[in-house]
Amino acid sequence: VYLDGKFVKCDVLFDEKFVEIGQNLAGENEIDLDGKFVTPGFVDIHIHGRGGFDVSKNCKEVAEREAKCGVTSFLPTTLTLNYTDTLSALEHIADYIENDNQHGAQALGIYSEGIFFSKEKCGAQNPENIKETIDLEFVQKMINAGRGHLKVMAFAPENEGSTELVDFLKNQGIRASMGHTNATEQQIKPCLEAGLDGATHLFNGMSGMSHIELGASGVGVFDENLYVELITDGFHVNPEFINILFKFKPIDKIIFISDNVHLSGMPEGKGEMAGVPVRIEKDKLVVDTDERYSLAGSCLRLCDSIKNVMRMTGKSAEEIIKCATENPARYIGVDDTKGYIAKGYDADINIFDKDFLLVDTYVKGKKI
């Protein structure tokens, strides 16, 4: 059992919450997990959809599919839509959180990826819906539509009004994250001073490092205060850059995400994402236009992030499990109930075999 950064042989007594952790504990039903690894359930803070369903309309179906990927709690994440559809998506997710939220993984809040990005670094976000000047009045409408559930908002720091946005978000307890940005280090610095504290899918959809300019990627790597999201499928980030990140970044600031979209896990073919044509390949999604090449979200099952990073970096599971559990829980402010196997915490559990392949998942003590 993963306790305080180490695997320990012990018993865990639980119902909906962890009741006791120790030796020779007796419960109504016993599960023999000799030879298995038991970890906290994974917290996916950046997920748009999966298996043909989008969180903006079908949170229930996404929650069920995410639980089969070892995700026990998540932030439904919006794409760059037009103003009307953005508010509608936020309202729908808020409705789900408040009135349903009992299917598979538990929705803990909302992540807004869009609207105030760089068109040059739009990736698979629809450039027609991107606004490069930040509209605080509309941001307030977004917060209102999310009814207090908005946890993270991503934006490009080079956009006019970005420093004011960081201050505005911080005053309402919302994490400010840089994403889909072509900003220089100098453009990012005022936002850092105002309280910018996250980087959305580090290295992807952002200005890169060079021998002259750090860019957004370099700031994400070397600023010790920034939390950074990382897609570990082997396509989005070169393994050598993942090694660089782990050498220079405090591991407590690294968060594994799936960045799944509704096309993730679907058969090969073609589809579209918020008006952007996408080609579905075996293990990845690609923007399907002749004008630009970009990945379009990932097909990664978050439960595979541990074995992937173990293979890429040589690090042990004990070192990196926190990147999918306690780190994201701390970032979104739920580390008093999620992210740990500890007495009184929600009984969210993943069980892995010796090769770190997922065997079973429990959400609040219920086997999925």
Side-chain angles (χ1 to χ4, degrees), residues 78-316:
T78 60
L79 287 165
T80 298
L81 308 170
N82 62 42
Y83 275 15
T84 300
D85 289 345
T86 294
L87 297 180
S88 176
L90 292 167
E91 289 169 356
H92 171 82
I93 297 170
D95 284 342
Y96 176 80
I97 292 171
E98 293 174 1
N99 301 313
D100 202 346
N101 208 11
Q102 299 179 20
H103 311 275
Q106 182 185 6
L108 301 178
I110 304 172
Y111 189 126
S112 170
E113 189 186 8
I115 295 170
F116 305 108
F117 288 149
S118 159
K119 291 184 179 181
E120 191 170 350
K121 292 292 184 181
C122 63
Q125 304 281 345
N126 191 335
E128 293 182 5
N129 295 327
I130 287 175
K131 307 296 182 186
E132 294 185 313
T133 298
I134 291 166
D135 179 351
L136 286 182
E137 286 188 14
F138 185 71
V139 173
Q140 185 60 62
K141 289 181 180 179
M142 292 173 66
I143 293 170
N144 294 344
R147 299 202 291 277
H149 297 293
L150 193 61
K151 297 280 190 182
V152 185
M153 178 175 284
F155 64 96
E158 67 270 34
N159 286 356
E160 183 182 342
S162 60
T163 307
E164 293 81 1
L165 174 61
V166 175
D167 187 60
F168 186 77
L169 294 175
K170 299 301 285 186
N171 286 336
Q172 302 203 44
I174 299 169
R175 292 283 193 179
S177 183
M178 64 175 180
H180 291 280
T181 170
N182 202 36
T184 63
E185 181 186 8
Q186 288 303 313
Q187 289 173 314
I188 296 168
K189 276 186 175 180
C191 289
L192 289 172
E193 292 167 0
L196 177 77
D197 46 21
T200 298
H201 45 52
L202 184 68
F203 299 118
N204 302 122
M206 61 175 56
S207 48
M209 289 182 279
S210 76
H211 62 295
I212 294 173
E213 169 58 46
L214 270 182
S217 297
V219 171
V221 172
F222 296 112
D223 188 297
E224 293 188 352
N225 296 317
L226 278 182
Y227 283 87
V228 298
E229 305 167 15
L230 188 66
I231 305 172
T232 66
D233 60 359
F235 298 113
H236 278 78
V237 183
N238 184 303
E240 288 307 316
F241 275 91
I242 291 180
N243 273 289
I244 288 170
L245 180 66
F246 274 92
K247 285 177 182 175
F248 289 98
K249 192 79 178 174
I251 199 165
D252 289 346
K253 298 290 188 177
I254 299 173
I255 297 172
F256 295 161
I257 62 168
S258 72
D259 197 17
N260 284 174
V261 298
H262 73 284
L263 298 173
S264 304
M266 295 290 285
E268 293 188 48
K270 295 192 175 186
E272 65 89 24
M273 200 170 77
V276 176
V278 173
R279 187 170 69 254
I280 309 165
E281 298 182 355
K282 182 180 178 182
D283 296 313
K284 61 183 178 180
L285 307 169
V286 181
V287 172
D288 193 26
T289 71
D290 295 330
E291 300 168 7
R292 57 190 170 95
Y293 173 86
S294 178
L295 293 168
S298 88
C299 296
L300 175 73
R301 300 190 319 151
L302 197 62
C303 57
D304 295 330
S305 61
I306 304 301
K307 67 180 180 65
N308 288 355
V309 174
M310 289 169 65
R311 184 181 69 250
M312 293 174 187
T313 66
K315 291 190 174 294
S316 69

